[in-house]
Amino acid sequence: MADEFDDVVLPPPGSPERIKLENRMKWKLDLTILPIIVGMFILNYLDRNNIAAAKLGTLLEDLNLSSTQYSTCVSILFVSYIILQIPSNLILSSIPRPNIYLPAVMICWGVISTSVGAAKTYGAMVGLRVLIGIFEAGFYPGVIYYLSCWYTSKELAKRSAIFVLGSYLSGAFSGLISYAVLENMDGVHGRAAWRWLFIIEGVATIGFSILAMPILPSLPQNTKWLSKQERLLGVVRLLEDIQLASEPGMSRENTIDTLATLSEWQKLRMGFKDAVTDDKVIMFFCTMFCVCGTASINTVFPTIVESLGYARAETLLLTAPPWILCAITCFLNAAHSDKTGERFWHMVWGPVLSMVGFIIGISTTKIAPRYVSIMILLQNYNAWGVGFAWITSTINQPAPKRAAAIAIINIGFNIPNIFMPYLYTSGMSPHFYAGFGVCICFAFVSVLGMILIRGKLIRLNKRLERGEVVDGMDGATGYRFIY
């Protein structure tokens, strides 16, 4: 692989020519990658959570579902989703064409989501939701890993936040789309409106994934529409970011080949072992578990808004503003985090504000303060985009370890989605004492986890300052963990 770049010369790091070349390459990547992955995530969340809007239609009556059976239909998706995340990300780290893999799994879950519109029994709904989880398992951690193959640790928070913006916009669009479908398509061609909701959004997913496949770039070393100089730069700047390029004896050929595809099963197993034995991975796992414990209200958000007492149409429309506010604050927060290079404070304030929202929500049923609480419940998501950027910059080598770590931590992020829907059944409205109470506890513990991670990284940086080697990083090279 290195021979291909023998005739390519890169400007020295920090030079005006190098900065200009990097900015031009990042501009190309941003215009190509970001709109596609945001669109993919919007559709991913629509397909995963449209069952919450369908509940406001005639889903329960048509399938004769009890409240507990409905909660099972919501949560069962995350069982298969969790089980297959690590295998999927290890596979992704071993193949040279993530631009094919990610849209391919999207096509699969789109086909299955469309099929939900034909489900006639509880068993069929459960089975289809399991299959959706199987194919969605490779998407979110896969995209986070994919972004870390293109962007440096200082660039990831803003790009991750733009990606995650898709889920927030999906929350807003979901209410508006559901309003249009449920209010206008009931009985069209003899189908209930909730069935059309799954069919329309599933077909849109399939179409978008087909368009995404030829547009997404692959990896820096084999993206042919970049110039050879840009492709070499895409590889080298990531290695410089984790200080591999400055290690003694690291030749130019070895530098390029270090980021080459790691396909051997032995390397994948070693990557998994390295991830599960790294205490930083365990700390992030526990922290993101609690972050998701608070954020998992996304699967029942229309039910929470419904507790205001409005009719279905007003309820669906009122779900949009909190997600729009969340999208704005999360993007601004992540962009500022990238600009300042700080992670902890940008991550911790969201759970604190959400905690306030849950306390208000559990305390009153008056419409004005309750909707204020609903508006700020979702601010916990500010810890999401910044959190995964913090993870990828803290656990950044080698590629199989990073891929396994992202998948492991994302498992922790999704486990609460399995049991949280059972805390928001219809009989628990409007106070949702169990659900809101558990979310308050999760938010508090997540803040403690962030404090512990920050303390850990401060201690590791002190060791690096003394010239010690930490996680394969030589403190003498100037490498420091971001916190």
Side-chain angles (χ1 to χ4, degrees), residues 12-29:
S15 66
E17 295 81 5
R18 173 70 171 269
I19 294 172
K20 182 178 179 181
L21 182 62
E22 282 200 47
N23 288 339
R24 184 177 66 191
M25 184 189 72
K26 286 188 290 185
W27 181 246
K28 288 181 182 179
L29 295 174

Side-chain angles (χ1 to χ4, degrees), residues 43 59 74 104 158 187 262 328 387 391 450:
L43 291 163
L59 171 70
V74 174
K158 183 166 67 176
L262 300 172
I328 294 170
I391 290 163
M450 296 170 202

Side-chain angles (χ1 to χ4, degrees), residues 21 24 28 223-232:
L21 182 62
R24 184 177 66 191
K28 288 181 182 179
T223 298
K224 298 302 182 182
W225 53 263
L226 291 176
S227 68
K228 288 175 66 175
Q229 190 179 40
E230 288 170 334
R231 284 155 53 201
L232 177 60

Side-chain angles (χ1 to χ4, degrees), residues 389-411:
W390 197 9
I391 290 163
T392 53
S393 62
T394 302
I395 306 159
N396 51 19
Q397 67 160 327
K401 177 183 177 181
R402 187 170 74 248
I406 292 170
I408 290 168
I409 294 165
N410 200 50
I411 286 173

